[in-house]
Structure formats: C-alpha cells, structure tokens
C-alpha cells in the first residue's frame, strides 16, 4: 500500500507541479479506504457465519457429540480456536488499514505545508528555480509513510483507551456467536464491565422479518450507519413514499439512503437456517401423523 503514494514522487515533474503527484496519489489511496476494508469485512462475515454453525449447544455440536463423543470435543475446540485466530487476523488487518490511511493523511499534510512554505519563500522566478531543484532530488515519500504508520501505531497503543487485539469488536462479536460468555468494557467511563451473553438457542422469528413489509427477508441489506436491516424490496417501497427516516422505532437516522446499505449475508444465513428447520419439523410432523393413521387403521377385521 505504501507504494501507492511513493509512486507520486516520479510524477513531481508532471503537470501536477512540485509534490503534486504525491498529493494526487495520496488522495487516491485515502479514497480507497472502504475498498481496502471490504475484503476484510467479507472474510469476517464468513467467519461469523461459520461460528454460528459451531456455536456451543448448537445442532452441529449435538450431532457430533452423539456420533463421535470421543473426538467431537477436541475437533470442535480446534475449529473454534481457528475461527478466533481468523477474527484476530481480520482485526489486525483492519487496524493496519486505518493506520496506513491516517499516515497518508499526515504525510499529505506535511507535503502541502512544505509546498506552501516554498511558494511563499521563493516567489516569482525563484519559485520555478526551487521547483526544478526539488525535482532533481525528490523526497522519499515511501519512507515518510512507513515512519508515519509507525508513529500512528505507537500513538494508538499508548492511548489509555486503546483496545487490545483480543478485545477488538470483531473478535468479541465472533466469540458471542460461538456462544461464549464475554465481557465488553463500557466506553468513555469507568463503569464496571458489562457482561453480555449471546442468546444462541434459536433465531428470533420476528428479527428475521423485514420491519417494513413484515415478511421474511429475501434480499436483506444492512444499514452501515445505524446497523438496522431491511429487505431491499421494502426499502424501495419506503423510498417510493419519499420517506428517508429509518423505520425502526427510536432510531435517530433521518437520512436513510441506498448508499448507506450493504448486503447482509449473515441475515441471509439466519433466514435460510430457520426455513430449513421449519421444513424439517413439518416433514417430521407429517411423518408422525402418517404413522398414527396407520396404527389407528391397523389390525384385522373379523368376518362372521
């Protein structure tokens, strides 16, 4: 990633002007922050969905404990530890992206201030001479970014409110999906730790339905601003009435738009799991009723 801005030093001789190439490259890198994070989010979503399948007391654990009680516990422990390691890796990469983007912003600011200072000091013909001299010996932006990244990292780690990797939101969320009892520290105060136990027994049917249409989600999208999920069809219905307030009671998001939402793969999985369980339960009921009918109609009829 550091090469993105570093390549800008070769553009200093172009129409961008002294340092302009580096600033242009820096802006491109900064604007791609969400693109960098998208890959991490996809990996985390997959890990989260897998964690739900391997949750303590879940269907897979029950099946494995019955089928192979001698090896099931060790297997499940290994897989859960692997998922937690993946979540920690995702959290680390997420932080590194944020550190890099902040470092690029800092270096860009330094370059802009240097350009302003040089322009003020040179003036007139001297400005062109100074620019030509700078072009002969371009600064090492790559090294500047690397040093800035390290500075940002150390600054964060020295912050009293810094959250260690093992307590990152991604890691804690995945542990909850696994059914672990976790503690989350309250932010910006000295209150005691808040203990949160994820209810993983079964999906709340109400939570699997769109708050707009009242139907099960078919194409769920999650709001990145307020965290609420809607069905895309329901969202389009809402926009057709020119309403831009999140339909969840009490939500303060009054600027709802399509740019705020993204596909909710986790909700898709929950709905699919619920429907699969419902179909299996219906088949079992039908089978039980058929067997009951057979028993009631069984035996011999004696003819006299």
């Amino acid at each position: 990633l550091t090469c993105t801005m570093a390549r800008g030093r070769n553009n200093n001789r172009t129409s961008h002007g002294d340092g302009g190439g580096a600033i242009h490259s820096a802006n491109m890198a900064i604007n791609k922050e969400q693109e960098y994070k998208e890959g991490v989010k996809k990996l985390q979503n997959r890990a989260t969905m897998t964690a739900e399948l391997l949750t303590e007391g879940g269907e897979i654990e029950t099946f494995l404990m019955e089928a192979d009680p001698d090896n099931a516990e060790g297997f499940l422990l290994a897989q859960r530890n692997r998922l937690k390691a993946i979540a920690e890796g995702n959290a680390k990469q997420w932080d590194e992206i944020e550190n890099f983007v902040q470092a690029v912003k800092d270096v860009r600011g330094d370059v802009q201030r240097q350009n302003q200072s040089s322009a003020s000091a040179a003036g007139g013909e001297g400005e062109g001479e100074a620019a030509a001299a700078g072009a002969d010996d371009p600064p090492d932006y790559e090294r500047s970014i690397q040093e800035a990244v390290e500075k940002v990292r150390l600054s964060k780690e020295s912050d009293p409110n810094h959250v260690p990797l093992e307590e990152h939101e991604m890691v804690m969320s995945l542990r909850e999906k696994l059914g672990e009892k976790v503690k989350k520290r309250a932010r910006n105060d000295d209150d005691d730790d808040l203990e949160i136990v994820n209810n993983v027994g079964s999906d709340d049917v109400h939570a699997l339905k769109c708050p707009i249409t009242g139907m099960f989600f078919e194409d769920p999208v999650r709001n990145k601003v307020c965290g609420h999920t809607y069905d895309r069809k329901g969202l389009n219905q809402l926009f057709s009435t020119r309403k831009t307030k999140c339909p969840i009671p009490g939500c303060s998001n009054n600027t709802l738009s399509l740019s705020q939402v993204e596909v909710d793969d986790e909700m898709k999985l929950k709905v699919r799991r619920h429907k699969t369980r419902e179909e299996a339960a219906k088949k079992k009921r039908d089978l039980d009723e058929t067997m009951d009918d057979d028993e009631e109609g069984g035996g011999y009829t004696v003819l006299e």
Side-chain angles (χ1 to χ4, degrees):
L1 293 177
T2 55
C3 293
T4 303
M5 184 176 175
R7 285 196 297 268
R9 63 184 172 189
N10 297 322
N11 296 330
N12 285 344
R13 300 178 178 86
T14 69
S15 60
H16 288 297
D18 186 23
I23 294 175
H24 176 71
S25 297
N27 290 335
M28 290 178 61
I30 293 169
N31 292 336
K32 287 186 176 182
E33 179 178 3
Q34 294 306 316
E35 181 181 329
Y36 299 149
K37 289 181 174 180
E38 192 60 35
V40 181
K41 289 168 66 176
K42 288 182 178 179
L43 289 174
Q44 183 65 17
N45 285 339
R46 292 173 185 171
T48 299
M49 289 188 287
T50 305
E52 281 197 327
L53 296 175
L54 295 176
T55 186
E56 295 181 9
E59 296 174 4
I60 289 182
E61 181 180 280
T62 301
F63 171 77
L64 291 176
M65 292 300 290
E66 292 177 354
D68 189 6
D70 294 333
N71 300 311
E73 186 173 352
F75 171 79
L76 289 169
L77 178 62
Q79 300 309 311
R80 288 164 179 162
N81 286 339
R82 185 177 181 183
L83 283 174
K84 285 186 279 189
I86 291 174
E88 288 189 9
N90 291 339
K92 181 179 180 182
Q93 190 172 358
W94 188 274
D95 287 346
E96 288 175 348
I97 291 172
E98 292 189 338
N99 292 349
F100 165 73
V101 172
Q102 183 58 53
V104 172
K105 290 179 180 179
D106 293 344
V107 174
R108 180 186 63 179
D110 292 340
V111 174
Q112 290 172 331
R113 285 189 290 272
Q114 290 172 4
N115 288 349
Q116 292 173 357
S117 178
S118 298
S120 300
E125 296 180 358
E127 181 178 354
E129 295 175 356
D136 293 335
D137 187 20
D140 189 347
Y141 292 123
E142 185 171 357
R143 180 178 177 181
S144 297
I145 293 173
Q146 291 173 345
E147 292 176 349
V149 167
E150 184 65 11
K151 183 178 179 181
V152 171
R153 183 184 67 80
L154 293 175
S155 176
K156 285 187 176 181
E157 291 181 355
S158 62
D159 189 332
N161 295 321
H162 173 68
V163 178
L165 195 62
E166 60 272 16
E167 295 182 18
H168 193 282
E169 182 179 355
M170 287 185 175
V171 179
M172 301 297 278
S173 175
L174 184 130
R175 288 179 58 193
E176 287 182 29
K177 296 298 183 183
L178 286 173
E180 294 185 11
K181 183 180 295 186
V182 300
K183 289 186 177 182
K184 289 187 177 180
R185 297 183 299 179
R187 296 182 179 180
N188 300 325
D189 55 42
D190 298 324
D191 292 342
D192 293 336
D193 288 352
L194 174 63
E195 185 174 284
I196 299 179
V197 182
N198 189 38
N199 181 10
V200 295
S202 61
D203 294 325
D204 181 0
V205 176
H206 179 72
L208 303 179
K209 295 181 178 181
C210 173
I212 303 172
T213 66
M215 305 297 290
F216 280 109
F217 288 112
E218 294 182 1
D219 185 11
V221 290
R222 179 180 177 277
N223 195 310
K224 294 177 287 186
V225 175
C226 60
H228 296 127
T229 299
Y230 335 95
D231 195 88
R232 192 179 297 275
K233 182 184 294 185
L235 198 57
N236 289 333
Q237 290 178 5
L238 187 70
F239 289 148
S240 68
T241 63
R242 299 185 181 279
K243 293 182 179 179
T244 58
K245 178 176 174 57
C246 176
I248 303 300
C251 182
S252 59
N253 184 4
N254 297 316
T255 58
L256 184 62
S257 65
L258 284 176
S259 63
Q260 292 182 358
V261 302
E262 60 184 359
V263 175
D264 193 338
D265 291 323
E266 184 177 343
M267 183 59 73
K268 281 185 178 180
L269 176 64
K270 288 183 177 181
V271 173
R272 186 162 63 246
R273 286 174 56 194
H274 173 77
K275 289 184 176 181
T276 300
R277 286 197 298 266
E278 288 294 301
E279 290 175 2
K282 183 178 183 301
K283 289 180 180 179
K284 186 177 184 302
R285 288 195 300 270
D286 292 343
L287 180 60
D288 290 343
E289 290 176 1
T290 301
M291 294 178 65
D292 290 341
D293 291 342
D294 291 342
E295 290 177 358
E296 291 176 2
Y300 297 94
T301 300
V302 180
L303 299 177
E304 296 181 356

